Amino acid sequence: MSIKVRYFASIREVLGRNGDELAARSGMTVAKVWQITAQIDAPVNTIVAVNEEFSDWQQSVSDGDEVAFFPPVTGG
Amino acid sequence: MSIKVRYFASIREVLGRNGDELAARSGMTVAKVWQITAQIDAPVNTIVAVNEEFSDWQQSVSDGDEVAFFPPVTGG
Amino acid sequence: MTVIVSEKAFLPWQVLADYERLRNGLQGQIGAATVFVGTLRSLSQGRPVEAMTLEHYPGMTEKYLQLICREAGEKWQILDSFVQHRYGRILPDEPIVLVAVWSEHRESAFKACRYIIDELKSRAPFWKQEQTDEGLRWVEKNT
Amino acid sequence: MTVIVSEKAFLPWQVLADYERLRNGLQGQIGAATVFVGTLRSLSQGRPVEAMTLEHYPGMTEKYLQLICREAGEKWQILDSFVQHRYGRILPDEPIVLVAVWSEHRESAFKACRYIIDELKSRAPFWKQEQTDEGLRWVEKNT
């Protein structure tokens, strides 16, 4: 089972990379994905997306999912 | 003393002319100007303007004033 | 602040491009622009409209458009405003009115632009006469 | 409904002129167009801004912009909508975002246009990094 992890903006900078590839157990939560890959506390207000949709830390991920972590958006 | 009277849109059409020139007594009201020049009852909702400003039927007019009568506006 | 009342047809986006290109003094300040364009539709109350003739009160029209723009500038923090309005004969799909407002932030631009078009519709002395297959008729109420 | 996310600078009025010229099928129906343009100002919280870099999440960005436009179309009666948003390096006075909505009447156009830009600012995954005389800093909150 493989999860693609992506980081954007200040989170990308703090972690020093664009993302990670994670071989993961089924039923793992987004929070667990962060814990394993980032290995630091998530910045306050970190937003999570699963497969390009806003999600939350309790969401379970499946094989092939893309999980993204980023700060509050500031477009427009 | 001379008052310039102007008619617009449906009022212009009903009266069959663009305006009138009125030799008038001082202190005459807009209502009196209409009565003398138009000689018919004013259509309901007729709007009056004196010197290019919205006004009312009780307004007194002075020498050189321009008085206009028109239906509700429909621009934009 | 610029107000134009003219008979000739105009292209709103071209007008705005030209206006911004020639404008001086707001470099770096504008964060938001809001624009409204009103266009003649080819149906009115279910009847096909062949054309419309807009009568206006020259002088009073410009005066009230300027007044309305000034009022918008007193109510909201805006940097510039522009209104162009046609009179005379207008065909379906032709623009009738263009309102543009520039400001630092979008709230003021939206509010001021809406204010100008709403007030214009109730206070600027224009009168629409439609030409439909039933003949000419004065539009009695603005929507 | 059209959504464009692109790196290259664009001229909003030119984009709209081209878009309307090539659009099919709404002849005679449009009575109102409302447009919003967001531009980079050269001052941010009192500091001069030399440039801004907009990072985005390719794919998710387009998806949410389309979703937001669809939502606007469900909430108000509109005929068409258009959004163009830049990413990458942007200089002061350059447009960042363009939102346009076409409808029969102005109420829907104003409401839908405002909805799209407000939702875009809170849901489209873009992140602004400003370059000021103090260096680079991530914009933390949208205004």
Side-chain angles (χ1 to χ4, degrees):
Chain A
M1 178 168 162
S2 168
I3 305 292
K4 186 176 182 186
V5 185
R6 303 184 69 170
Y7 311 116
F8 290 99
S10 53
I11 291 182
R12 175 181 53 70
E13 284 193 340
V14 166
L15 296 178
R17 58 193 186 278
N18 293 323
D20 286 302
E21 198 78 28
L22 180 63
R25 296 182 306 280
S26 186
M28 176 180 264
T29 63
V30 166
K32 189 72 182 168
V33 170
W34 172 270
Q35 195 191 320
I36 294 173
T37 55
Q39 299 185 334
I40 56 167
D41 286 348
V44 184
N45 295 331
T46 295
I47 311 289
V48 303
V50 175
N51 297 328
E52 301 185 349
E53 288 195 14
F54 288 104
S55 187
D56 59 70
W57 296 93
Q58 277 63 57
Q59 174 71 40
S60 293
V61 297
S62 312
D63 189 21
D65 278 357
E66 178 170 300
V67 180
F69 299 96
F70 46 76
V73 305
T74 54
Chain B
M1 177 170 164
S2 169
I3 305 293
K4 187 177 182 186
V5 185
R6 302 184 70 170
Y7 311 116
F8 291 98
S10 52
I11 291 181
R12 175 181 52 69
E13 284 194 338
V14 166
L15 296 178
R17 57 193 186 276
N18 294 323
D20 288 302
E21 199 78 29
L22 179 64
R25 296 183 305 280
S26 187
M28 178 180 264
T29 62
V30 166
K32 189 73 182 168
V33 170
W34 173 270
Q35 195 190 321
I36 294 172
T37 55
Q39 300 185 333
I40 56 167
D41 285 348
V44 184
N45 295 331
T46 295
I47 311 289
V48 303
V50 174
N51 297 329
E52 301 185 349
E53 288 196 13
F54 288 103
S55 187
D56 59 71
W57 297 94
Q58 278 63 57
Q59 174 71 41
S60 293
V61 297
S62 311
D63 189 22
D65 278 357
E66 177 171 300
V67 180
F69 299 95
F70 47 77
V73 306
T74 54
Chain C
M1 191 187 97
T2 300
V3 165
I4 297 171
V5 177
S6 67
E7 189 164 10
K8 72 168 200 299
F10 65 89
L11 300 167
W13 317 128
Q14 186 62 53
V15 166
L16 289 171
D18 293 344
Y19 183 72
E20 286 191 342
R21 187 166 39 78
L22 297 170
R23 181 173 53 196
N24 290 313
L26 294 177
Q27 279 75 19
Q29 295 180 59
I30 292 169
T34 304
V35 175
F36 173 78
V37 178
T39 305
L40 182 57
R41 295 190 301 140
S42 61
L43 267 189
S44 173
Q45 299 174 316
R47 302 217 68 87
V49 174
E50 289 155 24
M52 191 172 74
T53 301
L54 256 172
E55 185 170 333
H56 78 304
Y57 185 167
M60 182 169 172
T61 319
E62 290 83 348
K63 183 172 172 172
Y64 270 81
L65 293 179
Q66 283 160 3
L67 173 63
I68 291 164
C69 287
R70 272 203 308 280
E71 289 171 356
E74 285 159 10
K75 287 174 188 289
W76 296 282
Q77 207 168 335
I78 65 177
L79 294 166
D80 194 16
S81 60
F82 178 94
V83 175
Q84 183 155 353
H85 201 298
R86 286 186 70 185
Y87 62 89
R89 185 175 162 86
I90 297 172
L91 299 175
D93 285 323
E94 287 185 357
I96 301 166
V97 60
L98 163 64
V99 177
V101 175
W102 293 265
S103 62
E104 291 185 4
H105 302 290
R106 72 188 183 287
E107 177 79 8
S108 315
F110 270 104
K111 291 258 172 82
C113 186
R114 182 69 196 264
Y115 178 83
I116 291 172
I117 185 63
D118 285 354
E119 292 295 309
L120 182 161
K121 282 188 179 252
S122 64
R123 293 158 69 200
F126 289 99
W127 301 275
K128 290 174 175 161
Q129 189 180 47
E130 290 174 347
Q131 178 185 334
T132 73
D133 54 1
E134 285 186 325
L136 298 173
R137 68 169 171 206
W138 291 101
V139 175
E140 293 192 346
K141 214 177 152 214
N142 246 347
T143 51
Chain D
M1 190 187 97
T2 301
V3 165
I4 298 171
V5 178
S6 66
E7 189 164 9
K8 72 169 201 300
F10 65 90
L11 300 167
W13 317 128
Q14 186 62 53
V15 166
L16 288 171
D18 292 343
Y19 183 72
E20 286 192 341
R21 188 166 37 79
L22 297 171
R23 180 172 55 196
N24 290 314
L26 293 177
Q27 279 74 20
Q29 294 180 59
I30 293 167
T34 304
V35 175
F36 174 80
V37 178
T39 305
L40 182 58
R41 296 191 300 142
S42 60
L43 267 188
S44 173
Q45 300 174 316
R47 302 216 70 85
V49 173
E50 290 155 24
M52 190 172 74
T53 302
L54 256 172
E55 184 170 333
H56 78 307
Y57 185 168
M60 182 168 170
T61 318
E62 290 83 348
K63 183 172 171 171
Y64 269 82
L65 293 180
Q66 282 160 3
L67 173 63
I68 290 164
C69 287
R70 272 203 308 279
E71 289 171 356
E74 285 157 11
K75 288 174 187 290
W76 296 281
Q77 206 168 336
I78 65 176
L79 295 166
D80 194 16
S81 60
F82 178 94
V83 175
Q84 183 156 353
H85 200 298
R86 285 186 69 184
Y87 62 89
R89 186 176 161 85
I90 297 172
L91 299 175
D93 285 322
E94 287 185 356
I96 301 166
V97 60
L98 162 64
V99 178
V101 174
W102 294 265
S103 62
E104 291 185 5
H105 303 290
R106 70 189 183 287
E107 177 78 10
S108 315
F110 270 105
K111 292 258 173 79
C113 187
R114 182 69 196 264
Y115 178 83
I116 292 171
I117 185 63
D118 285 354
E119 293 295 308
L120 183 161
K121 282 187 179 254
S122 64
R123 292 158 70 200
F126 289 99
W127 301 274
K128 290 174 175 161
Q129 189 181 47
E130 290 174 347
Q131 179 185 334
T132 73
D133 54 0
E134 285 187 323
L136 298 173
R137 69 169 169 204
W138 290 100
V139 176
E140 293 192 349
K141 215 177 151 214
N142 246 348
T143 51

